[in-house]
Amino acid sequence: MNTLNLKSIGFIYALIAFLILLLAHIPVLFGSDPLLDISFLVGFFIIFPLWGLTIFFMRKLIEANDEDITKLSFLPRMRVLLGNPPQWLFIVVGIFYIYGIYCFYLWMTGGMTEPELVNGQYQFNNHGEITYYTENEYIQAHKKNILASTGVLLTFASVSLSIFLPIKRDT
């Protein structure tokens, strides 16, 4: 299988992964119930193979570049790693990156908490210390978990999508 076929497969996979994560993320962002109830683990298994393929292509982009990217400053280095995307796409990926940092902050400040229903009670078991939740607290914690985890994973999906997107690249 040649590089062009793998890049086409990567684009389709990245687009599907991005849309799945958006379907889970956007409704929660606006206060509604998620259209897709995706746990971090499911999202991770969606992104992990895609990210492997993305890293493979990033290495190809580095090899195809004539200049030594270690001598470039941060933004020019990122442009090379993303395959010299147009300015608008570079800005969109930057916005997703900043938003991903915010979602990671949400995740670290309580978004990783995923209560579960055990014997009719909503609870979170943290190394044997059980915290009980009301149904409303459970719903809010679950939504925060979805928002935080899909937001972080959308960052990875946006990078993959930008690398595989079949558009004219800047030179």
Side-chain angles (χ1 to χ4, degrees):
M1 191 175 279
N2 67 19
T3 306
L4 184 60
N5 287 344
L6 280 176
K7 190 167 183 177
S8 299
I9 291 169
F11 170 70
I12 292 167
Y13 187 1
L15 182 62
I16 290 169
F18 188 79
L19 292 175
I20 287 171
L21 291 168
L22 271 182
L23 283 173
H25 189 82
I26 294 295
V28 176
L29 183 63
F30 290 108
S32 299
D33 293 332
L35 294 175
L36 294 172
D37 198 351
I38 296 179
S39 69
F40 177 77
L41 191 61
V42 170
F44 177 78
F45 283 123
I46 290 171
I47 291 296
F48 187 74
L50 175 61
W51 196 242
L53 189 59
T54 302
I55 291 171
F56 171 78
F57 272 92
M58 286 174 108
R59 293 185 62 77
K60 293 276 186 201
L61 292 170
I62 292 169
E63 291 169 5
N65 191 17
D66 294 336
E67 57 189 315
D68 182 12
I69 68 165
T70 59
K71 294 180 179 159
L72 295 174
S73 61
F74 179 74
L75 289 178
R77 185 181 310 167
M78 292 299 106
R79 286 190 74 85
V80 169
L81 288 174
L82 292 175
N84 292 316
Q87 187 69 24
W88 66 267
L89 183 57
F90 190 64
I91 291 169
V92 168
V93 171
I95 290 168
F96 270 101
Y97 183 79
I98 292 167
Y99 184 67
I101 292 171
Y102 167 73
C103 288
F104 183 71
Y105 169 77
L106 281 180
W107 194 70
M108 292 302 292
T109 58
M112 71 175 83
T113 304
E114 182 58 50
E116 51 193 358
L117 185 61
V118 178
N119 296 327
Q121 292 183 317
Y122 295 103
Q123 65 182 29
F124 176 69
N125 187 346
N126 184 13
H127 303 287
E129 182 181 325
I130 298 174
T131 306
Y132 294 99
Y133 289 86
T134 65
E135 184 176 4
N136 191 38
E137 290 172 330
Y138 164 77
I139 290 169
Q140 294 308 315
H142 183 65
K143 283 183 178 182
K144 187 174 183 182
N145 177 269
I146 290 173
L147 185 71
S149 60
T150 58
V152 169
L153 295 172
L154 271 169
T155 303
F156 290 95
S158 71
V159 169
S160 296
L161 192 56
S162 71
I163 287 176
F164 295 123
L165 195 64
I167 57 171
K168 186 176 187 309
R169 304 289 174 159
D170 291 345
T171 55

